[in-house]
Amino acid sequence: MKIVVLDGYGLNPGDLSWTDMEQLGDFTVYDRTPIEMVLERGANADVLITNKTVITAQHMEALTTLKYIGVLATGYNVVDIKAAKAKGIVVTNIPAYSTRSVAQMVFAHLLNITQQVGYYARENRNGRWSKNSDFCYWDAPLIELYGKKIGLIGYGNTGQATAAIAIAMGMQVCVYSSKPQFLLPQGIQRMTMDEIFSQCDVVSLHCPLTTDTKELVCESRLKMMKSTAILINTGRGALINEKDLADALNKGVILAAGLDVLSLEPPTDDNPLLTAKNCYITPHIAWATKEARCRLMNIAVDNLKSFIAGKIINNVAK
């Protein structure tokens, strides 16, 4: 069995091992593969493993030996699923591997904004505390999260993990979810989306990107928010209209935003959020703790082992 990993660097820049997958067949791994080289590198492959490299219907038509595509992520929009189904190609994904790491990143952003840790650390490195007349100083807002309302748009795995941390910190948790109130845990309040935007101190996005949710954060919803509100996005960048958010931040419509994702990654230099006031951006790394990547690798291997054994799991092309 010929196995080709098209873009393995994102998962494994060198601190993990491909050994378990390598033992399953004739194995080749590339750090990155431009789309024009997919056919060349995938020639005669039984298995293609991809993270962000797009695999189209035309690729599947040309790669006549292809039987299996393993996506090294939860989302699988990089593969033409309709074409895979038509050709009987199994496509697997990696569900729920980074749930706790993503929830942790929500609060990394939130605590950075509310405590200004990065700002004060930089000030002190530049000698400000050493030169200070008093035992302490502050000139950026310090905000206690206890008692504040956090609204979660989406209440799947990461939404639930985020809610658990918020409850532990004494926050009031509100959710926009398809689940009725009686199916939600005690202490979690179901709200409409507009109620969450208008009433909550923090809004955190945990929903999938669909035609219905694209740019759900837009000028009209941002205007609903409190001027002291904080927006967090560890979901998908296109959930936000980026110009509208940049304008809202620059005009003080809301206090701050913590973002781990943007609509185009890497972003262009002119993305307005890169220079927006009180906008804190990390480079899509919520999923990338070593622990989460180890889980991802293990699930990817199990998916392929199961396929070889004729017991397919995590197939998204049924």
Side-chain angles (χ1 to χ4, degrees), residues 151-217:
L152 309 178
I153 306 297
Y155 192 61
N157 290 326
T158 57
Q160 291 172 40
T162 302
I165 299 172
I167 290 169
M169 297 191 73
M171 300 185 77
Q172 300 177 57
V173 178
C174 309
V175 300
Y176 174 77
S177 171
S178 59
K179 296 180 177 70
Q181 182 67 57
F182 72 88
L183 288 180
L184 294 174
Q186 186 176 3
I188 292 181
Q189 181 182 354
R190 188 175 186 269
M191 283 186 170
T192 67
M193 192 177 295
D194 286 352
E195 285 173 336
I196 282 179
F197 276 90
S198 62
Q199 296 181 30
C200 290
D201 302 290
V202 179
V203 176
S204 186
L205 307 181
H206 299 278
C207 56
L209 177 62
T210 66
T211 54
D212 291 332
T213 62
K214 185 177 180 181
E215 296 190 358
L216 71 88
V217 179

Side-chain angles (χ1 to χ4, degrees), residues 4-7 21 46-53 55 66-73 76 78-79 89-94 300 303-304 314:
V4 177
V5 180
L6 294 172
D7 53 351
M21 190 175 290
D46 301 283
V47 173
L48 288 182
I49 306 295
T50 182
N51 189 336
K52 294 294 182 285
T53 301
I55 301 178
L66 186 61
K67 305 177 184 68
Y68 177 99
I69 299 170
V71 181
L72 298 174
Y76 45 88
V78 296
V79 178
I89 296 171
V90 171
V91 182
T92 63
N93 74 333
I94 315 290
N303 283 349
L304 184 51
N314 296 323

Side-chain angles (χ1 to χ4, degrees), residues 2-6 22 25-30 41 47 49:
K2 183 177 178 180
I3 304 166
V4 177
V5 180
L6 294 172
E22 189 174 8
D26 176 9
F27 181 81
T28 304
V29 59
Y30 298 98
R41 291 182 173 180
V47 173
I49 306 295

Side-chain angles (χ1 to χ4, degrees), residues 4-24:
V4 177
V5 180
L6 294 172
D7 53 351
Y9 187 85
L11 167 59
N12 180 17
D15 58 346
L16 303 181
S17 172
W18 293 105
T19 300
D20 289 345
M21 190 175 290
E22 189 174 8
Q23 292 173 350
L24 300 178

Side-chain angles (χ1 to χ4, degrees), residues 6-297:
L6 294 172
D7 53 351
Y9 187 85
L11 167 59
N12 180 17
D15 58 346
L16 303 181
S17 172
W18 293 105
T19 300
D20 289 345
M21 190 175 290
E22 189 174 8
Q23 292 173 350
L24 300 178
D26 176 9
F27 181 81
T28 304
V29 59
Y30 298 98
D31 282 348
R32 301 166 191 86
T33 295
I35 194 166
E36 63 270 17
M37 294 187 69
V38 170
L39 292 181
E40 177 186 333
R41 291 182 173 180
N44 303 313
D46 301 283
V47 173
L48 288 182
I49 306 295
T50 182
N51 189 336
K52 294 294 182 285
T53 301
V54 174
I55 301 178
T56 67
Q58 290 74 25
H59 291 142
M60 291 180 235
E61 191 65 35
L63 297 171
T64 57
T65 59
L66 186 61
K67 305 177 184 68
Y68 177 99
I69 299 170
V71 181
L72 298 174
T74 302
Y76 45 88
N77 59 303
V78 296
V79 178
D80 188 324
I81 297 298
K82 183 178 179 180
K85 287 181 181 179
K87 295 193 70 65
I89 296 171
V90 171
V91 182
T92 63
N93 74 333
I94 315 290
Y97 71 93
S98 62
T99 299
R100 290 171 179 81
S101 292
V102 174
Q104 180 174 299
M105 179 61 91
V106 171
F107 278 86
H109 272 289
L110 190 50
L111 290 169
N112 174 61
I113 291 167
T114 57
Q115 301 295 149
Q116 294 290 321
V117 172
Y119 166 74
Y120 287 113
R122 287 190 298 274
E123 289 291 287
N124 292 341
R125 184 177 288 273
N126 292 330
R128 183 172 174 185
W129 197 11
S130 304
K131 299 178 178 68
N132 203 57
S133 301
D134 302 305
F135 77 97
C136 70
Y137 69 92
W138 66 91
D139 56 4
L142 299 173
I143 301 165
E144 183 174 82
L145 290 175
Y146 182 87
K148 297 290 192 297
K149 278 188 179 180
I150 183 170
L152 309 178
I153 306 297
Y155 192 61
N157 290 326
T158 57
Q160 291 172 40
T162 302
I165 299 172
I167 290 169
M169 297 191 73
M171 300 185 77
Q172 300 177 57
V173 178
C174 309
V175 300
Y176 174 77
S177 171
S178 59
K179 296 180 177 70
Q181 182 67 57
F182 72 88
L183 288 180
L184 294 174
Q186 186 176 3
I188 292 181
Q189 181 182 354
R190 188 175 186 269
M191 283 186 170
T192 67
M193 192 177 295
D194 286 352
E195 285 173 336
I196 282 179
F197 276 90
S198 62
Q199 296 181 30
C200 290
D201 302 290
V202 179
V203 176
S204 186
L205 307 181
H206 299 278
C207 56
L209 177 62
T210 66
T211 54
D212 291 332
T213 62
K214 185 177 180 181
E215 296 190 358
L216 71 88
V217 179
C218 57
E219 182 181 10
S220 60
R221 286 214 170 93
L222 288 161
K223 285 182 176 178
M224 294 178 187
M225 297 176 75
K226 300 177 180 181
S227 61
T228 55
I230 298 166
L231 177 69
I232 306 291
N233 188 14
T234 55
R236 292 290 181 264
L239 296 171
I240 295 173
N241 181 306
E242 293 175 336
K243 182 181 183 304
D244 287 356
L245 176 57
D247 288 345
L249 290 165
N250 290 330
K251 294 174 183 176
V253 175
I254 67 171
L255 175 64
L259 312 174
D260 188 55
V261 288
L262 293 173
S263 60
L264 178 65
E265 298 171 348
T268 56
D269 290 338
D270 60 353
N271 186 308
L273 290 173
L274 294 174
T275 54
K277 181 181 177 183
N278 293 339
C279 190
Y280 304 88
I281 302 173
T282 48
H284 201 146
I285 54 171
W287 68 280
T289 62
K290 187 171 184 179
E291 292 82 357
R293 289 185 294 111
C294 284
R295 282 192 292 272
L296 193 161
M297 180 73 82

